[in-house]
Amino acid sequence: MTGFLVIIFMLLIIIVMLIGLAVAQIKMAGMNVKDFWTFIKANETLNKLYAFSKKYEKLTTNEQLVFLREAERVFDAFDKVPNVLWEEDYQKYMEVLSTYKDIKLVRWESQ
């Protein structure tokens, strides 16, 4: 029984050390942990927005507003992290940005 507790305790120590190492690497990259976590969430949102950007002409006015709001959050989160982290998602980012600009232009022209 005590051997089992010792193993659990050692595993917990290793997990805490790995978390500390990850936080240290994030800080060494010049980011805050909160910014990195926001980036991870924004990356998930980017994938959803990318799917929406493929059919943006069919979006209702409310859906366009939601798209614009979410895209702005994604852009803010991506601006706070180094480009190296999201270079594989660059094409998706640019597609969403293009759709964002198109929707903004259409909405501006219609006002």
Side-chain angles (χ1 to χ4, degrees), residues 96-111:
V96 169
L97 180 61
S98 176
T99 303
Y100 173 84
K101 288 178 181 178
D102 291 344
I103 291 173
K104 285 290 255 189
L105 183 63
V106 168
R107 294 186 58 77
W108 182 73
E109 287 176 344
S110 68
Q111 290 182 353

Side-chain angles (χ1 to χ4, degrees), residues 29-66:
M31 295 183 296
N32 294 328
V33 175
K34 182 180 177 184
D35 291 341
F36 184 71
W37 184 254
T38 304
F39 167 72
I40 292 172
K41 294 287 187 183
N43 202 2
E44 294 171 2
T45 304
L46 178 68
N47 292 330
K48 294 175 186 172
L49 291 176
Y50 179 71
F52 273 111
S53 71
K54 294 295 185 185
K55 57 180 180 179
Y56 90 92
E57 286 130 4
K58 300 175 187 173
L59 296 178
T60 65
T61 304
N62 287 337
E63 290 173 333
Q64 287 178 350
L65 289 173
V66 169

Side-chain angles (χ1 to χ4, degrees), residues 7-23:
I7 291 173
I8 290 177
F9 182 71
M10 290 183 71
L11 287 174
L12 287 174
I13 288 175
I14 291 171
I15 290 171
V16 168
M17 289 174 55
L18 288 173
I19 291 171
L21 180 64
V23 168

